Amino acid sequence: AARLGLERLTAPQYGRLGDALYSRGDRETAERFYRESLRQFQAAAGAAGSQESRDFALAWQRIASIETDESAARAALVRAAEIHLNLARATPADPAAVGDVADAWLRVAEHDAASQRLPDVPALVRRALDAHALPVAASQPRDDHQRFMIERARLFRRAVAILRDADAPPFEETCAAALAHADELLRAYADDVDACREAVALLCRTASTMLQRGPSASAVAALDRARASAEQAMQVWPREMPIRVAASEAYSASGNEAARRGRLDEARGWYEKERDLIAGAFELQPSDMTYRLRYAQSLTALGAVESLQKRWPEAADYYDQFLRVSEPLAREDAAHLPARAYAWHVVGDRLKDTGDLPAARECYESGLAELETLATFGELDDYAAGLRDGLTAALAAQPTTSQPSP
């Protein structure tokens, strides 16, 4: 097809093949397919229709994902945003085009925040939100307007996270707008499960982010609204697992805030509600990584509270459960390994204190073995040092004639 000059047909396929290769870990070959996809789009003189324009923009975004040169990656993201912007201007009645523009500019903002190009971040976030706020949505049918409102809630979540990470000035203003949008979404579409879920998630994430920066009465009130809305939604849709996940997030955020204020008994109560709520979903669908992740997070939160209160047997029990639940998560994402290393340490210490030295030694060794895959992580030394200290103590206490070096 390419030899016949049908680049408009083949260019998207090269990109999809690259995605498949990238997902299998073959980054080098994926990059070759991504660049070939872009080359064929350019050979076809860009894109003609709406879908082709979206595919052309996606080709630039794929290039940005594999580009090692920071400036080149940013330029690719900006080029994708410009393509989406031109498409939105050509099709003003298409809400999807407006959403694509907002998403594209937020990608540039995320890139700048990650690469510490902080001065440009606020303007990019504002540009994204302003693009998505075009009046085209006001005249749409109810279903289209609902989708628009849900999409905007997701954009607000990203915007708040970007501005938090960039420590940018319009953070408070954006948080206030996000909370107002969540309330509006609940008022307009309280009868829709997806709208309720997204509104609760936006309230939780925004309030939690605000509280990380310091006390905030409006954030605490937002958490209260999130919990109340989630509990009401669970009464209406008791079998909807996404609503349970949203409610568990509200309980978790409330527990985090109580822990920050030193109210550990209150924090434990919220974390127990989170665990009990998500446990049912996890037991029904253990293969669902979302439920598994939330369940694992509730166990580590409970373990942390018990540790802070010096209740070591209870802490070790929660961390032991966490190790079993989080093993599949760690196989998929190495970012879970530091938390597992701490859990191995706590469980190992508890076993050592009870006199089960062989089991304690096994825990320390397991934690160290997992950390070997994290040689590039900055926190490796701190986690490994604790595990080595525990292993050394266990070996010293164990009555053997020959002890291997830790």
Side-chain angles (χ1 to χ4, degrees):
R3 293 190 183 108
L4 291 172
L6 302 177
E7 289 89 353
R8 295 190 192 282
L9 292 177
T10 57
Q13 304 306 326
Y14 274 107
R16 295 185 182 104
L17 286 166
D19 290 343
L21 290 160
Y22 195 96
S23 69
R24 292 169 55 187
D26 191 350
R27 182 187 175 94
E28 183 177 347
T29 312
E31 178 178 351
R32 183 159 55 85
F33 277 89
Y34 286 161
R35 295 195 183 281
E36 181 61 22
S37 173
L38 181 62
R39 189 194 69 77
Q40 294 209 13
F41 270 120
Q42 292 170 325
S50 296
Q51 187 56 51
E52 288 181 9
S53 293
R54 291 188 173 96
D55 287 339
F56 190 23
L58 180 57
W60 280 109
Q61 289 170 345
R62 286 171 172 139
I63 291 296
S65 71
I66 51 91
E67 184 61 70
T68 56
D69 182 84
E70 185 181 299
S71 298
R74 188 182 194 277
L77 290 172
V78 171
R79 182 72 185 98
E82 291 170 344
I83 293 170
H84 282 305
L85 183 60
N86 291 334
L87 177 59
R89 288 169 175 165
T91 57
D94 183 5
V98 173
D100 289 338
V101 174
D103 170 76
W105 287 121
L106 281 184
R107 287 174 185 257
V108 182
E110 287 165 342
H111 175 273
D112 282 2
S115 57
Q116 296 299 301
R117 291 184 57 153
L118 304 183
D120 295 334
V121 169
L124 288 166
V125 170
R126 173 55 55 198
R127 188 171 188 175
L129 293 175
D130 287 348
H132 194 254
L134 292 174
V136 59
S139 61
Q140 296 297 320
R142 186 179 192 274
D143 287 349
D144 288 345
H145 185 258
Q146 177 182 322
R147 282 192 291 270
F148 176 89
M149 292 287 286
I150 289 175
E151 184 178 64
R152 188 161 180 79
R154 293 168 179 163
L155 292 171
F156 265 123
R157 276 170 34 196
R158 290 171 62 190
V160 168
I162 293 168
L163 293 173
R164 174 205 63 201
D165 294 340
D167 198 23
F171 174 78
E172 291 80 5
E173 174 190 341
T174 305
C175 286
L179 295 178
H181 181 78
D183 291 336
E184 183 182 356
L185 185 57
L186 282 171
R187 284 193 300 269
Y189 300 107
D191 59 344
D192 181 80
V193 63
D194 292 330
C196 286
R197 181 191 68 227
E198 290 299 332
V200 169
L202 180 57
L203 286 170
C204 285
R205 304 280 178 87
T206 304
S208 296
T209 304
M210 293 170 69
L211 290 167
Q212 288 170 10
R213 294 167 66 100
S216 168
S218 61
V220 172
L223 274 184
D224 292 341
R225 295 199 300 277
R227 287 198 312 273
S229 300
E231 289 168 350
Q232 184 177 0
M234 283 194 295
Q235 292 178 356
V236 178
W237 301 288
R239 296 184 180 276
E240 286 289 340
M241 293 302 178
I243 286 292
R244 285 176 169 264
V245 172
S248 73
E249 188 170 352
Y251 293 145
S252 176
S254 299
N256 293 342
E257 175 56 13
R260 267 193 294 268
R261 293 176 177 235
R263 302 198 297 256
L264 298 181
D265 289 337
E266 179 186 342
R268 180 189 295 105
W270 290 121
Y271 293 144
E272 286 174 345
K273 293 190 75 169
E274 176 194 13
R275 176 204 58 194
D276 294 345
L277 186 62
I278 208 66
F282 171 66
E283 289 169 3
L284 287 173
Q285 300 183 49
S287 62
D288 189 302
M289 290 301 171
T290 300
Y291 302 147
R292 183 178 289 273
L293 175 60
R294 290 229 55 94
Y295 188 45
Q297 289 172 340
S298 71
L299 293 171
T300 54
L302 284 165
V305 167
E306 302 296 358
S307 296
L308 289 170
Q309 294 190 315
K310 311 299 183 184
R311 294 158 55 99
W312 301 117
E314 292 82 357
D317 182 57
Y318 283 126
Y319 282 121
D320 185 49
Q321 293 178 59
F322 164 74
L323 286 169
R324 292 194 296 271
V325 172
S326 65
E327 186 175 357
L329 296 170
R331 285 199 298 266
E332 289 197 358
D333 187 353
H336 295 287
L337 292 180
R340 285 178 58 81
Y342 181 75
W344 283 118
H345 191 179
V346 173
V347 175
D349 283 354
R350 177 59 186 164
L351 291 168
K352 177 164 61 71
D353 292 343
T354 59
D356 193 347
L357 298 177
R361 174 181 169 182
E362 185 177 342
C363 285
Y364 298 134
E365 289 175 341
S366 296
L368 286 168
E370 290 185 1
L371 281 180
E372 287 180 359
T373 62
L374 292 178
T376 60
F377 277 56
E379 66 267 29
L380 171 62
D381 290 340
D382 291 338
Y383 286 111
L387 288 164
R388 290 193 185 100
D389 288 346
L391 179 57
T392 300
L395 289 169
Q398 190 170 346
T400 59
T401 55
S402 71
Q403 296 177 352
S405 167

